[in-house]
Amino acid sequence: MSGGGLLVAGTTSDAGKSVVTAGICRWLVRQGVKVAPFKAQNMSLNSFVTREGAEIGRAQAMQAQACRIEPTALMNPVLLKPGGERSSQVVLLGRPVGEMSARGYHGGRQQRLLGTVLDCLERLRGTYDAVICEGAGSPAEINLRRTDIVNMGIARGAGLPVLVVGDIDRGGVFASFFGTVALLSPEDQGLVAGFLVNKFRGDVSLLEPGLDMLHGLTGRRTYGVLPFRHGLGIDEEDGLRVSLRGAVRESAVAAPVGEDVLRVAVCAVPLMSNFTDVDALAAEPGVVVRFVDRPEELADADLVVVPGTRGTVRALEWLRERGLADALKRRAAEGRSVLGICGGFQVLGEHIEDDVESRRGRVDGLGVLPVRVRFAREKTLTRPAGEALGEPVEGYEIHHGVAEVLGGDTFLDGCRVGQTWGTHWHGSLESDGFRRAFLREVAAAAGRRFVPAPDTSFAALREEQLDRLGDLIEQHADTDALWRLIESGAPQGLPFIPPGAPA
């Protein structure tokens, strides 16, 4: 017998689907429900490697953590990794299967994947009491409905009730709720059970007359009004919001333990991937993290991070165009700290041979690390563990570039020359002891009297964040009604709201 299910859709991208999904998952698991997350198709440059070596979106990995289970490829069967304005790498069941234009994907490939994603969902529902699915964008994108496999396509295929989330902080939430339903076909409308208001500020009693009117107009109830809370975002999907909105990224910087703060500048390279790597730095009291795109912004930085990217050669050209390449070379020569991660590590090397990603052949790197990189067609997807700076460290690797290290001191899978460090390992800074040892090295090189806090646990901060999301659902949503929805499906007899989907 299949377990219950729910699709969390949104009036727009960034309405709060990921956080609401994670919050419902954490609330359910605290009630003793065996629950799993699911997103049929994800477009994201922030990805994660599961223990079996599959690549999925980081948001689904975090939602799995909310469920207190290991993430698997079943939870995100299709991942699209943009490589430019019009094309993406298609990752199917955790493995890349090729590049495709948006026209080619929506022109037929996507629809052919519906059977695959429904099978993955059914396998999860056969194992768990409930599966909480996340939609993408809006279910009312009428130009894409015919080939949709992530919103109403999956809801119809699996008979899932749909909860539509709207961000009231943006304004226009009532029109967005009504319009979302009114642009769906009668069959799709029959699965839309109701609404959830996100990011409300103020007195809920002032909102209630509007919710009553919305119910009168649509025949659908509102399942909760979640208040605005800072720092409730989980790992981003669709690109960098430079405001650093995630849990640690939005929090105020705590006072340093030592006498000085430590300033970290992150180069905002094009097609940046896994910028969540720096969240662990921002979690440290006294560490100030900012994203930069001008060389003068590196001047007062104690550490410069060149992060991962889905376009290594493009990022290299961007660094040169901006003058950041010369600034990075000067820093390296002066013994000032630079950390390159994945694509950022590759650009610091001597040269890159790329006939896979950019197909540009041999391209000179910045030449500050004795490393040569050759792009392989097979993608490296691993979860390495080891030791660095006398501390245990774990990470994950997602890259086509194969690095040949020709010198320097060993550093994870890469190398270190002076204060210039390079590695393919994402997530290494989440290892608390290693992060503290690395920051002590950076502070010493910068002459800063910065002392890492002895008790910062990044894993504990993540757990606190997920519990706060669970608290939001428990305290501000009608959880009894939510559970009935998950267990029994959409209410019968929901009215049709004209005009419906165009022919």
Side-chain angles (χ1 to χ4, degrees):
M1 179 179 173
S2 291
L6 174 70
L7 176 70
V8 179
T11 56
T12 61
S13 293
D14 206 32
K17 298 182 289 291
S18 294
V19 249
V20 168
T21 300
I24 293 174
C25 287
R26 179 48 62 103
W27 159 65
L28 285 172
V29 81
R30 294 195 308 205
Q31 309 310 307
V33 176
K34 191 179 176 186
V35 60
F38 180 80
K39 186 162 185 173
Q41 173 193 293
N42 201 345
M43 177 171 279
S44 179
L45 286 172
N46 277 343
S47 57
F48 183 75
V49 179
T50 67
R51 292 213 179 273
E52 71 267 30
E55 184 179 10
I56 66 172
R58 272 197 69 101
Q60 279 60 66
M62 282 293 291
Q63 289 161 357
Q65 187 177 343
C67 298
R68 298 181 177 140
I69 57 176
E70 274 291 324
T72 72
L74 292 176
M75 297 170 188
N76 179 207
V78 182
L79 173 64
L80 305 178
K81 302 192 74 175
E85 293 297 320
R86 297 185 179 180
S87 69
S88 294
Q89 183 181 68
V90 181
V91 179
L92 180 61
L93 293 173
R95 292 287 171 181
V97 294
E99 297 279 335
M100 188 166 288
S101 69
R103 180 181 293 274
Y105 184 68
H106 290 287
R109 177 64 184 267
Q110 181 184 34
Q111 196 171 27
R112 292 196 296 273
L113 292 172
L114 181 59
T116 300
V117 300
L118 284 172
D119 177 64
C120 291
L121 175 57
E122 194 55 35
R123 288 168 66 185
L124 288 173
R125 293 180 77 181
T127 305
Y128 293 90
D129 302 328
V131 178
I132 308 303
C133 308
E134 180 187 344
S138 160
E141 290 168 349
I142 53 180
N143 57 314
L144 302 177
R145 175 62 185 92
R146 183 178 62 84
T147 58
D148 170 55
I149 65 169
V150 66
N151 290 307
M152 300 313 299
I154 196 81
R156 284 271 292 279
L160 296 173
V162 179
L163 183 69
V164 180
V165 178
D167 179 355
I168 197 169
D169 197 48
R170 295 179 171 190
V173 75
F174 291 116
S176 298
F177 282 145
F178 182 87
T180 296
V181 178
L183 280 176
L184 300 179
S185 68
E187 295 82 3
D188 286 352
Q189 286 194 24
L191 292 173
V192 178
F195 313 106
L196 187 76
V197 177
N198 192 27
K199 296 185 182 178
F200 180 71
R201 305 175 191 249
D203 185 346
V204 175
S205 66
L206 299 176
L207 188 65
E208 287 171 349
L211 300 178
D212 292 339
M213 286 184 268
L214 183 66
H215 184 269
L217 287 166
T218 67
R220 290 158 174 84
R221 59 167 297 173
T222 298
Y223 284 77
V225 178
L226 307 185
F228 187 98
R229 292 285 188 269
H230 283 284
L232 289 181
I234 62 174
D235 294 348
E236 308 290 0
E237 289 187 349
D238 298 326
L240 173 65
R241 309 299 198 270
V242 179
S243 58
L244 302 179
R245 297 169 312 145
V248 289
R249 281 172 274 156
E250 196 178 67
S251 342
V253 176
V257 175
E259 297 179 47
D260 287 344
V261 298
L262 210 60
R263 295 175 176 85
V264 179
V266 184
C267 295
V269 297
L271 297 174
M272 190 186 313
S273 61
N274 290 67
F275 55 83
T276 46
D277 282 334
V278 300
D279 282 359
L281 294 178
E284 283 286 347
V287 175
V288 182
V289 177
R290 67 183 189 274
F291 285 77
V292 303
D293 60 4
R294 296 180 299 185
E296 55 269 27
E297 294 177 295
L298 306 188
D300 67 343
D302 303 306
L303 169 67
V304 174
V305 178
V306 188
T309 171
R310 248 281 278 157
T312 302
V313 170
R314 181 175 167 187
L316 191 51
E317 292 171 342
W318 181 86
L319 291 168
R320 288 184 167 124
E321 290 164 3
R322 295 270 174 162
L324 286 160
D326 289 337
L328 288 167
K329 288 192 281 189
R330 283 195 300 272
R331 284 188 69 92
E334 293 165 2
R336 302 177 69 200
S337 298
V338 176
L339 171 63
I341 302 174
C342 200
F345 165 41
Q346 294 167 10
V347 305
L348 297 177
E350 295 174 1
H351 69 251
I352 297 165
E353 292 183 18
D354 181 11
D355 295 316
V356 175
E357 192 174 79
S358 69
R359 298 181 175 85
R360 293 282 299 277
R362 178 168 168 151
V363 178
D364 287 339
L366 300 189
V368 295
L369 286 177
V371 173
R372 295 172 185 168
V373 175
R374 178 185 53 81
F375 272 65
R377 297 201 176 276
E378 188 73 18
K379 183 184 280 191
T380 297
L381 296 167
T382 63
R383 290 273 293 270
E387 183 178 294
L389 303 179
E391 298 285 348
V393 56
E394 296 181 0
Y396 57 99
E397 295 186 49
I398 307 169
H399 54 91
H400 283 280
V402 178
E404 181 187 6
V405 179
L406 303 171
D409 297 322
T410 300
F411 176 64
L412 302 177
D413 70 328
C415 67
R416 168 191 183 180
V417 174
Q419 281 301 115
T420 302
W421 319 65
T423 177
H424 276 129
W425 290 24
H426 294 290
S428 63
L429 294 167
E430 296 179 18
S431 297
D432 297 326
F434 166 73
R435 181 181 64 254
R436 286 192 277 269
F438 177 70
L439 290 176
R440 281 192 290 269
E441 292 253 4
V442 170
R448 295 278 188 193
R449 290 170 293 184
F450 169 84
V451 178
D455 55 355
T456 301
S457 167
F458 190 73
L461 287 173
R462 287 295 202 198
E463 278 297 301
E464 288 171 18
Q465 178 189 23
L466 292 168
D467 277 331
R468 290 174 68 200
L469 294 179
D471 292 344
L472 266 189
I473 298 299
E474 190 168 329
Q475 296 166 12
H476 300 283
D478 185 338
T479 51
D480 288 341
L482 262 183
W483 177 245
R484 286 195 298 273
L485 201 59
I486 293 166
E487 195 174 35
S488 305
Q492 296 297 305
L494 292 167
F496 171 70
I497 308 302

PDB file of all heavy atoms in Angstrom, residues 26-38:
ATOM      1  N   ARG A  26      10.010  18.030   8.825  1.00  0.00           N
ATOM      2  CA  ARG A  26      10.509  17.981  10.204  1.00  0.00           C
ATOM      3  C   ARG A  26       9.359  17.845  11.197  1.00  0.00           C
ATOM      4  O   ARG A  26       9.474  17.120  12.184  1.00  0.00           O
ATOM      5  CB  ARG A  26      11.352  19.228  10.490  1.00  0.00           C
ATOM      6  CG  ARG A  26      11.925  19.346  11.914  1.00  0.00           C
ATOM      7  CD  ARG A  26      12.616  18.099  12.441  1.00  0.00           C
ATOM      8  NE  ARG A  26      13.767  17.645  11.713  1.00  0.00           N
ATOM      9  CZ  ARG A  26      15.026  17.822  12.080  1.00  0.00           C
ATOM     10  NH1 ARG A  26      15.295  18.492  13.203  1.00  0.00           N
ATOM     11  NH2 ARG A  26      16.015  17.325  11.365  1.00  0.00           N
ATOM     12  N   TRP A  27       8.233  18.528  10.954  1.00  0.00           N
ATOM     13  CA  TRP A  27       7.064  18.381  11.829  1.00  0.00           C
ATOM     14  C   TRP A  27       6.584  16.928  11.834  1.00  0.00           C
ATOM     15  O   TRP A  27       6.315  16.348  12.893  1.00  0.00           O
ATOM     16  CB  TRP A  27       5.943  19.318  11.372  1.00  0.00           C
ATOM     17  CG  TRP A  27       4.590  18.902  11.869  1.00  0.00           C
ATOM     18  CD1 TRP A  27       4.172  18.859  13.173  1.00  0.00           C
ATOM     19  CD2 TRP A  27       3.506  18.400  11.075  1.00  0.00           C
ATOM     20  NE1 TRP A  27       2.879  18.367  13.235  1.00  0.00           N
ATOM     21  CE2 TRP A  27       2.448  18.091  11.967  1.00  0.00           C
ATOM     22  CE3 TRP A  27       3.315  18.213   9.707  1.00  0.00           C
ATOM     23  CZ2 TRP A  27       1.230  17.591  11.528  1.00  0.00           C
ATOM     24  CZ3 TRP A  27       2.098  17.712   9.265  1.00  0.00           C
ATOM     25  CH2 TRP A  27       1.080  17.406  10.169  1.00  0.00           C
ATOM     26  N   LEU A  28       6.486  16.317  10.653  1.00  0.00           N
ATOM     27  CA  LEU A  28       5.997  14.944  10.569  1.00  0.00           C
ATOM     28  C   LEU A  28       6.920  13.963  11.275  1.00  0.00           C
ATOM     29  O   LEU A  28       6.454  13.075  12.002  1.00  0.00           O
ATOM     30  CB  LEU A  28       5.833  14.541   9.100  1.00  0.00           C
ATOM     31  CG  LEU A  28       4.623  15.112   8.364  1.00  0.00           C
ATOM     32  CD1 LEU A  28       4.717  14.790   6.875  1.00  0.00           C
ATOM     33  CD2 LEU A  28       3.318  14.584   8.944  1.00  0.00           C
ATOM     34  N   VAL A  29       8.223  14.104  11.062  1.00  0.00           N
ATOM     35  CA  VAL A  29       9.144  13.129  11.655  1.00  0.00           C
ATOM     36  C   VAL A  29       9.131  13.249  13.179  1.00  0.00           C
ATOM     37  O   VAL A  29       9.302  12.246  13.895  1.00  0.00           O
ATOM     38  CB  VAL A  29      10.566  13.287  11.066  1.00  0.00           C
ATOM     39  CG1 VAL A  29      11.356  14.414  11.722  1.00  0.00           C
ATOM     40  CG2 VAL A  29      11.346  11.976  11.175  1.00  0.00           C
ATOM     41  N   ARG A  30       8.870  14.443  13.692  1.00  0.00           N
ATOM     42  CA  ARG A  30       8.756  14.609  15.147  1.00  0.00           C
ATOM     43  C   ARG A  30       7.475  13.972  15.685  1.00  0.00           C
ATOM     44  O   ARG A  30       7.383  13.711  16.887  1.00  0.00           O
ATOM     45  CB  ARG A  30       8.824  16.095  15.520  1.00  0.00           C
ATOM     46  CG  ARG A  30      10.180  16.701  15.229  1.00  0.00           C
ATOM     47  CD  ARG A  30      10.428  18.040  15.887  1.00  0.00           C
ATOM     48  NE  ARG A  30       9.415  19.040  15.672  1.00  0.00           N
ATOM     49  CZ  ARG A  30       9.629  20.346  15.724  1.00  0.00           C
ATOM     50  NH1 ARG A  30      10.870  20.811  15.965  1.00  0.00           N
ATOM     51  NH2 ARG A  30       8.665  21.203  15.544  1.00  0.00           N
ATOM     52  N   GLN A  31       6.502  13.715  14.802  1.00  0.00           N
ATOM     53  CA  GLN A  31       5.275  13.020  15.205  1.00  0.00           C
ATOM     54  C   GLN A  31       5.409  11.507  15.058  1.00  0.00           C
ATOM     55  O   GLN A  31       4.439  10.769  15.247  1.00  0.00           O
ATOM     56  CB  GLN A  31       4.082  13.497  14.361  1.00  0.00           C
ATOM     57  CG  GLN A  31       3.883  14.985  14.269  1.00  0.00           C
ATOM     58  CD  GLN A  31       3.896  15.664  15.628  1.00  0.00           C
ATOM     59  OE1 GLN A  31       3.146  15.254  16.520  1.00  0.00           O
ATOM     60  NE2 GLN A  31       4.755  16.660  15.790  1.00  0.00           N
ATOM     61  N   GLY A  32       6.600  11.060  14.670  1.00  0.00           N
ATOM     62  CA  GLY A  32       6.817   9.629  14.506  1.00  0.00           C
ATOM     63  C   GLY A  32       6.446   9.102  13.136  1.00  0.00           C
ATOM     64  O   GLY A  32       6.381   7.889  12.933  1.00  0.00           O
ATOM     65  N   VAL A  33       6.222  10.011  12.166  1.00  0.00           N
ATOM     66  CA  VAL A  33       5.869   9.598  10.812  1.00  0.00           C
ATOM     67  C   VAL A  33       7.146   9.346  10.021  1.00  0.00           C
ATOM     68  O   VAL A  33       8.091  10.144  10.065  1.00  0.00           O
ATOM     69  CB  VAL A  33       5.025  10.686  10.112  1.00  0.00           C
ATOM     70  CG1 VAL A  33       4.727  10.299   8.666  1.00  0.00           C
ATOM     71  CG2 VAL A  33       3.729  10.931  10.881  1.00  0.00           C
ATOM     72  N   LYS A  34       7.188   8.267   9.305  1.00  0.00           N
ATOM     73  CA  LYS A  34       8.319   7.950   8.430  1.00  0.00           C
ATOM     74  C   LYS A  34       8.092   8.685   7.110  1.00  0.00           C
ATOM     75  O   LYS A  34       7.191   8.338   6.339  1.00  0.00           O
ATOM     76  CB  LYS A  34       8.399   6.447   8.212  1.00  0.00           C
ATOM     77  CG  LYS A  34       9.672   5.952   7.543  1.00  0.00           C
ATOM     78  CD  LYS A  34       9.624   4.437   7.414  1.00  0.00           C
ATOM     79  CE  LYS A  34      10.853   3.921   6.656  1.00  0.00           C
ATOM     80  NZ  LYS A  34      10.743   2.470   6.403  1.00  0.00           N
ATOM     81  N   VAL A  35       8.896   9.720   6.847  1.00  0.00           N
ATOM     82  CA  VAL A  35       8.611  10.648   5.755  1.00  0.00           C
ATOM     83  C   VAL A  35       9.850  10.865   4.896  1.00  0.00           C
ATOM     84  O   VAL A  35      10.982  10.762   5.380  1.00  0.00           O
ATOM     85  CB  VAL A  35       8.075  11.993   6.323  1.00  0.00           C
ATOM     86  CG1 VAL A  35       9.089  12.639   7.251  1.00  0.00           C
ATOM     87  CG2 VAL A  35       7.689  12.956   5.209  1.00  0.00           C
ATOM     88  N   ALA A  36       9.620  11.149   3.618  1.00  0.00           N
ATOM     89  CA  ALA A  36      10.716  11.440   2.679  1.00  0.00           C
ATOM     90  C   ALA A  36      10.332  12.639   1.819  1.00  0.00           C
ATOM     91  O   ALA A  36       9.147  12.885   1.560  1.00  0.00           O
ATOM     92  CB  ALA A  36      11.000  10.237   1.786  1.00  0.00           C
ATOM     93  N   PRO A  37      11.335  13.401   1.322  1.00  0.00           N
ATOM     94  CA  PRO A  37      11.065  14.500   0.397  1.00  0.00           C
ATOM     95  C   PRO A  37      11.166  14.022  -1.052  1.00  0.00           C
ATOM     96  O   PRO A  37      11.745  12.959  -1.326  1.00  0.00           O
ATOM     97  CB  PRO A  37      12.196  15.479   0.705  1.00  0.00           C
ATOM     98  CG  PRO A  37      13.360  14.572   1.010  1.00  0.00           C
ATOM     99  CD  PRO A  37      12.767  13.344   1.676  1.00  0.00           C
ATOM    100  N   PHE A  38      10.633  14.821  -1.967  1.00  0.00           N
ATOM    101  CA  PHE A  38      10.713  14.476  -3.393  1.00  0.00           C
ATOM    102  C   PHE A  38      10.579  15.743  -4.213  1.00  0.00           C
ATOM    103  O   PHE A  38       9.749  16.597  -3.925  1.00  0.00           O
ATOM    104  CB  PHE A  38       9.586  13.501  -3.764  1.00  0.00           C
ATOM    105  CG  PHE A  38       9.573  13.090  -5.214  1.00  0.00           C
ATOM    106  CD1 PHE A  38      10.434  12.111  -5.676  1.00  0.00           C
ATOM    107  CD2 PHE A  38       8.691  13.677  -6.110  1.00  0.00           C
ATOM    108  CE1 PHE A  38      10.421  11.715  -7.010  1.00  0.00           C
ATOM    109  CE2 PHE A  38       8.667  13.293  -7.443  1.00  0.00           C
ATOM    110  CZ  PHE A  38       9.532  12.311  -7.900  1.00  0.00           C
TER     111      PHE A  38
END
